[in-house]
Amino acid sequence: LFPMTDVGEDVTVPDKALDFLWQEAIRQHEALLESKDSVDTRASFMLGLLGVMLTIFAGVFVAFWSAPAALQLSQTDVLGWWLSIVTTAGIVLSLVLALTFEIWILLPRFFAAGVDLFAAYGVSSDPSVGPSDLKDAALRALLPAVGDNTVTYLGSTWLYQVASLLTASSLVL
């Protein structure tokens, strides 16, 4: 047993409990990293798909709006012309928003890797620090990273879902 300090309280944790907590924190962190990689892979795929869609739609819209048919439509059917304008603007807006969200997923504001290995190496060279103390300190550094990464991952998942809906809506429009 060894003392741990958390928010001013001395807590004694058995070595076996510390080992269990360490293994569980590592397991959760690895699972979270795999999930994040999955979302990043899907976001990368969707980003490529959006690039193709934006290129195709840009060609179609330029061909339509620069043709005499658009001018003729504005003179013969004002409601149809406005519907075409709204549809074009809606598709372009949804594609640009989806593109922005997919890029935002790939560039998270925060992502923690875990324990600072250089600092841990420096601390471990001190003969007064035992293996249990080192594992305790590493666990204390890892737990906030797992929590913060979970928040980042959930935000990325939400952005991916919104971007996917925007992409689908641009195809339907």
Side-chain angles (χ1 to χ4, degrees):
L1 299 178
F2 60 93
M4 289 190 327
T5 305
D6 188 21
V7 197
E9 296 180 26
D10 284 335
V11 179
T12 304
V13 176
D15 285 338
K16 288 186 178 190
L18 183 62
D19 287 340
F20 168 76
L21 291 172
W22 174 253
Q23 292 301 322
E24 183 61 19
I26 293 296
R27 185 193 67 75
Q28 287 183 16
H29 193 65
E30 287 173 351
L32 187 64
L33 290 177
E34 289 173 7
S35 297
K36 184 192 175 308
D37 289 344
S38 174
V39 170
D40 287 350
T41 302
R42 287 182 276 163
S44 297
F45 172 76
M46 289 298 287
L47 197 58
L49 179 65
L50 285 167
V52 170
M53 289 173 54
L54 197 57
T55 303
I56 291 170
F57 280 127
V60 169
F61 292 148
V62 167
F64 175 76
W65 289 108
S66 61
L71 180 61
Q72 185 180 13
L73 181 65
S74 70
Q75 295 169 351
T76 58
D77 186 9
V78 176
L79 183 63
W81 185 81
W82 277 107
L83 183 62
S84 298
I85 288 278
V86 169
T87 302
T88 301
I91 289 172
V92 169
L93 180 65
S94 65
L95 285 174
V96 168
L97 280 174
L99 191 68
T100 303
F101 288 163
E102 298 295 351
I103 291 171
W104 198 359
I105 290 169
L106 295 175
L107 301 171
R109 289 177 287 158
F110 176 81
F111 190 78
V115 178
D116 180 5
L117 294 177
F118 291 114
Y121 180 76
V123 170
S124 67
S125 65
D126 184 359
S128 66
V129 177
S132 294
D133 295 331
L134 187 60
K135 189 179 277 187
D136 174 54
L139 183 60
R140 288 179 180 277
L142 185 61
L143 290 179
V146 172
D148 291 341
N149 288 343
T150 302
V151 171
T152 299
Y153 167 71
L154 291 175
S156 294
T157 303
W158 180 81
L159 281 176
Y160 177 77
Q161 291 170 347
V162 170
S164 296
L165 289 173
L166 286 171
T167 303
S169 70
S170 68
L171 288 173
V172 171
L173 288 177

